[in-house]
Amino acid sequence: MPIRYAIQPDLDVLLYIFEGECAAAEYFDMYRFVYLDKRRHHGMNVLMDLSKAGLDFDTGNLWEARAIVVENNACGFPPDHVAILTNSTTMRCLKDALVLMADNVTMYLDVFNNFNDAVYWLGLAEMKWEITHFWEENMRSGSKDRLAV
């Protein structure tokens, strides 16, 4: 499976790295796995790097994503701040559709075509050097946490 993740607790950042062709089902499997990682908490800054990947996402997957967002909100969990890094205009449309489907649930989700804009939107400009180093290290060497299987 071409998805891996890394968590940097000191920066409060969860990084997903997608490579090659990825199915949404693979992402949801990884989401459930990462949910069990003790370093992961609700309200984290999440950077989803799809810059080297294609994501196969359909309407059913949007409903699954919506269910996760609505359930987390109903449980009183703070929403994650999710920045998606991609050049895909389709991903922008999917993000807009998810926001419309989420029944006025607060979501912090946006799509960016460059890393710097994503970091600034996440409110992490003052830690830009550290986050850039963390991101580049994981892009080069592969995540030290886990490759999804």
Side-chain angles (χ1 to χ4, degrees):
M1 192 182 311
I3 306 170
R4 58 184 193 270
Y5 82 100
I7 296 176
Q8 177 46 266
D10 295 337
L11 300 174
D12 197 31
V13 171
L14 164 58
L15 172 66
Y16 287 99
I17 300 170
F18 296 71
E19 295 175 334
E21 290 301 314
C22 304
E26 293 172 315
Y27 165 71
F28 290 122
D29 288 345
M30 177 60 87
Y31 173 86
R32 286 185 275 282
F33 178 81
V34 172
Y35 191 85
L36 301 175
D37 191 311
K38 294 186 186 327
R39 299 167 299 163
R40 203 265 189 248
H41 64 86
H42 293 283
M44 282 190 94
N45 295 302
V46 179
L47 179 61
M48 299 177 70
D49 187 342
L50 282 84
S51 62
K52 296 182 179 180
L55 185 60
D56 181 18
F57 217 87
D58 63 28
T59 307
N61 303 128
L62 278 174
W63 285 107
E64 185 172 358
R66 178 201 175 274
I68 290 169
V69 169
V70 170
E71 180 181 345
N72 285 340
N73 182 69
C75 291
F77 297 136
D80 292 333
H81 296 79
V82 181
I84 301 172
L85 185 60
T86 183
N87 287 321
S88 168
T89 54
T90 301
M91 187 56 64
R92 291 179 194 282
C93 294
L94 290 170
K95 184 270 302 185
D96 291 342
L98 180 59
V99 169
L100 290 171
M101 294 168 61
D103 297 331
N104 296 319
V105 171
T106 300
M107 290 192 338
Y108 302 109
L109 171 68
D110 212 341
V111 178
F112 301 89
N113 62 10
N114 72 69
F115 178 80
N116 289 332
D117 288 348
V119 169
Y120 284 103
W121 179 84
L122 288 169
L124 302 172
E126 65 280 352
M127 295 184 285
K128 183 176 178 267
W129 186 90
E130 294 90 343
I131 292 170
T132 301
H133 179 73
F134 174 63
W135 175 65
E136 288 175 346
E137 179 181 283
N138 283 286
M139 290 299 287
R140 266 194 320 272
S141 62
S143 171
K144 293 176 182 66
D145 287 329
R146 182 178 192 267
L147 284 172
V149 290

